Amino acid sequence: GSCGSGAARRSSLWGAKVALVDCGFDYETGIRRGAGVGGTCVNVGCIPKKLMFTAASLFESIDGEAEVCSGNGISVASAKFDWKTLKTARDAYVDRATHAYNRNWRKEGIDVLLGMGKLKDPHTVEVLLNDGDEMQNVTRSGATKTITGKYVLVCVGGAPSYPENTPGAREYCITSDGFWDLETQPKKAAVVGAGYIAVEMAGILNTLGCDTTLVVRGDKALRTFDESIAEQLDFEMKRQGLTVRPKTTLQSIEAIADSNLKRVTATDGSHVGDFETVLLAVGRKPNVAPLNLPAAGVDLDSRGYVAVDAYQQTSAPGVFALGDVCGSVELTPMAIAAGRRLADRLFSGDAPHSKADYADVPTVVFSHPPIGTIGLTEKAARAQFGDDNIKVYASTFVNLWYGPMPIEPATKPKTKMKLICEGPTERVVGLHVIGMGADEMLQGFGVAIKMGATKADFDSCVAIHPTAAEEFVTLPPWGLSAGDRRGAAPADDADAPAAAPSGEPALAAAR
């Protein structure tokens, strides 16, 4: 996956001899097993998800809750969406990406072994090889190959979980992996879960015209996000016609005779609904079972993830672990960065303390509308620094994109922003946004926050107008926060205009 590829290519760059083992994916148990070459992100995660999100957003702008064509004088007689056409194009793109990974590894001198690997000891890996060069829907040849190395890196990622003790969950439900195998668009679907995968899948299905119900155990989805963002998403999903079923835990899922429907029942005995598709997004688990980790002396933590220190070292000297298999900041770019930093430390010769920085990692949720977030929530910031040391700046507005929509402003989609600052300098410790364009605006603000930016630094940046992002650098009161960016000249600046004499207008003195 992303982590293994990043570490392997960086290690090869430093001149290390590298072997990379990937099992591809199969359907031996009837359920997809393994993400495939390129990992979860490329095959069953970020990339195909973003393609579906883009298609849904385009469809919504033509014929949905956020339809803007008519207000801009564009007439669209009838917008139609064809699932099969999109699936064919999406799968072809993913297929090209996976083969590009394979080609690049080999081009850079990495030995690629396609098969299922397991550890024999801290320096030995046995690989049960695939038939030929199969990467997709593979079968195992029965042949094995044993390789040894000074270091072994475990970066096998994770897989979707099924709820325990829920009859029918495995028999009649799919996970986010199975979503990509749907040949036809379901007319009615239930998505079970409250995390970002659940809201992304539910948003895509609903926006593309599927009657969708989101089933969550708590009051609303994304409970670990800033409260204002979670509340706004809950409001927007309902406004868009998505049914949200809160405080619901599944009792059972059963097939309805003589139909393609599945009946979902809650633990309180209530009937959640009958659905063509029930998609479970209730969490993920690390792919440690096939690895034979005890043979190498590799310990797991209390959650079942590989236990590592800050330098990704496991309990076995020479064995390292990275990415989702460790359960810390389970994001593709984080895994890539961690893999590269590990390779730098092991092979560059001049970076003995190189390690990944897991603090203030920006992330985006491709919900409808999208969410961008970095740093602490308001609740976490107040708990860490105390109420008296926290100042919050917030704004809610209508993006200009929706300006011409022929509906009342109060009913138009809203953007909500929040800046959380701490201490006398008002250092920004949290930034949160939901609304159109949130996904594309967060990266630059992430750099600023990693550099320790204050509210005064934000105010010192002239706004780019008209954009949604400018709201973050104009949050009122503008230019009055603590810090050294209010426009005041340094004390030794001889060219600074003199202060206005008492009783005279300041503007006249400046002139």
Side-chain angles (χ1 to χ4, degrees):
S2 302
C3 176
S5 179
R9 297 180 72 176
R10 188 70 153 228
S11 298
S12 181
L13 177 68
W14 291 121
K17 177 68 173 174
V18 182
L20 193 154
V21 180
D22 191 279
C23 65
F25 67 88
D26 64 63
Y27 292 93
E28 186 177 311
T29 63
I31 299 174
R32 180 174 180 140
R33 182 175 64 173
V37 169
T40 295
C41 176
V42 173
N43 292 277
V44 290
C46 322
I47 298 303
K49 179 265 302 288
K50 182 63 181 292
L51 296 175
M52 297 296 287
F53 169 84
T54 300
S57 298
L58 287 170
F59 188 66
E60 182 182 40
S61 70
I62 299 170
D63 186 29
E65 288 296 317
E67 183 267 318
V68 296
C69 287
S70 60
N72 285 283
I74 302 171
S75 177
V76 180
S78 177
K80 295 181 179 179
F81 167 69
D82 184 72
W83 182 278
K84 186 174 182 179
T85 298
L86 175 59
K87 184 181 186 303
T88 299
R90 183 198 71 210
D91 291 352
Y93 183 89
V94 169
D95 186 66
R96 291 195 299 272
T98 58
H99 282 84
Y101 266 79
N102 196 24
R103 286 194 306 272
N104 287 334
W105 293 333
R106 297 172 190 274
K107 184 170 62 177
E108 295 178 15
I110 297 169
D111 291 333
V112 180
L113 285 79
L114 297 174
M116 182 73 73
K118 67 177 181 178
L119 278 69
K120 304 290 285 185
D121 61 49
H123 303 284
T124 307
V125 176
E126 182 182 81
V127 184
L128 178 60
L129 298 171
N130 296 352
D131 274 334
D133 287 330
E134 288 183 352
M135 297 189 297
Q136 302 171 343
N137 202 12
V138 305
T139 55
R140 312 294 177 205
S141 67
T144 63
K145 182 172 183 177
T146 300
I147 55 176
T148 60
K150 182 178 181 181
Y151 304 113
V152 172
L153 174 58
V154 177
C155 45
V156 294
S161 300
Y162 285 86
E164 298 293 336
N165 304 316
T166 303
R170 290 184 177 273
E171 295 88 345
Y172 305 122
C173 301
I174 64 172
T175 66
S176 56
D177 282 2
F179 175 83
W180 312 109
D181 292 327
L182 290 175
E183 294 292 339
T184 58
Q185 181 181 12
K187 294 182 175 64
K188 189 174 183 181
V191 178
V192 183
Y196 73 91
I197 294 175
V199 300
E200 288 175 338
M201 296 290 100
I204 289 168
L205 286 166
N206 180 67
T207 306
L208 290 175
C210 173
D211 181 358
T212 306
T213 297
L214 178 64
V215 181
V216 299
R217 288 189 302 173
D219 294 331
K220 52 185 169 297
L222 301 186
R223 296 184 301 276
T224 61
F225 283 61
D226 191 84
E227 182 72 13
S228 64
I229 300 301
E231 288 179 351
Q232 185 68 16
L233 177 64
D234 190 64
F235 173 82
E236 282 293 331
M237 289 191 298
K238 293 172 180 175
R239 186 189 64 79
Q240 294 168 16
L242 195 155
T243 300
V244 179
R245 171 85 182 234
K247 298 182 179 180
T248 301
T249 303
L250 299 191
Q251 172 68 37
S252 64
I253 303 98
E254 55 186 330
I256 299 177
D258 301 322
S259 78
N260 66 342
L261 300 178
K262 293 86 181 176
R263 176 156 296 164
V264 178
T265 304
T267 51
D268 63 3
S270 63
H271 177 218
V272 178
D274 299 337
F275 306 94
E276 284 185 36
T277 298
V278 180
L279 192 158
L280 302 176
V282 295
R284 295 176 65 82
K285 61 181 181 180
N287 282 324
V288 295
L291 300 182
N292 195 32
L293 295 179
V298 176
D299 294 338
L300 305 181
D301 64 19
S302 60
R303 303 175 300 157
Y305 291 90
V306 178
V308 294
D309 64 15
Y311 290 91
Q312 311 299 152
Q313 172 69 61
T314 71
S315 55
V319 180
F320 300 89
L322 291 170
D324 290 7
V325 76
C326 301
S328 179
V329 189
E330 298 182 35
L331 297 169
T332 294
M334 186 74 255
I336 295 172
R340 290 171 176 171
R341 293 304 183 204
L342 175 63
D344 291 346
R345 188 171 79 253
L346 296 179
F347 301 117
S348 72
D350 63 355
H353 302 294
S354 175
K355 63 178 181 178
D357 181 3
Y358 287 86
D360 290 331
V361 176
T363 187
V364 162
V365 181
F366 288 97
S367 49
H368 287 267
I371 293 167
T373 180
I374 179 173
L376 301 175
T377 65
E378 182 179 344
K379 181 179 180 180
R382 292 187 184 280
Q384 181 171 333
F385 299 107
D387 288 341
D388 293 341
N389 293 312
I390 294 297
K391 189 168 184 179
V392 175
Y393 300 85
S395 178
T396 302
F397 59 95
V398 175
N399 192 301
L400 190 59
W401 170 269
Y402 302 115
M405 286 179 69
I407 60 176
E408 290 298 317
T411 61
K412 292 181 179 180
K414 304 295 192 299
T415 293
K416 185 181 284 284
M417 293 179 169
K418 179 183 282 190
L419 207 62
I420 303 164
C421 305
E422 70 87 15
T425 63
E426 296 190 21
R427 178 174 64 95
V428 180
V429 296
L431 182 150
H432 311 278
V433 54
I434 179 171
M436 183 181 182
D439 48 331
E440 295 294 344
M441 75 173 72
L442 185 68
Q443 190 72 75
F445 289 120
V447 173
I449 291 174
K450 289 291 286 185
M451 295 176 70
T454 64
K455 174 62 163 66
D457 291 318
F458 272 59
D459 291 353
S460 73
C461 182
V462 175
I464 301 171
H465 182 73
T467 65
E470 70 175 298
E471 193 76 6
F472 270 128
V473 299
T474 58
L475 286 167
W478 176 88
L480 298 177
S481 59
D484 60 355
R485 298 284 189 221
R486 293 190 190 177
D492 59 352
D493 190 347
D495 296 324
S502 177
E504 292 188 16
L507 182 58
R511 288 174 181 165

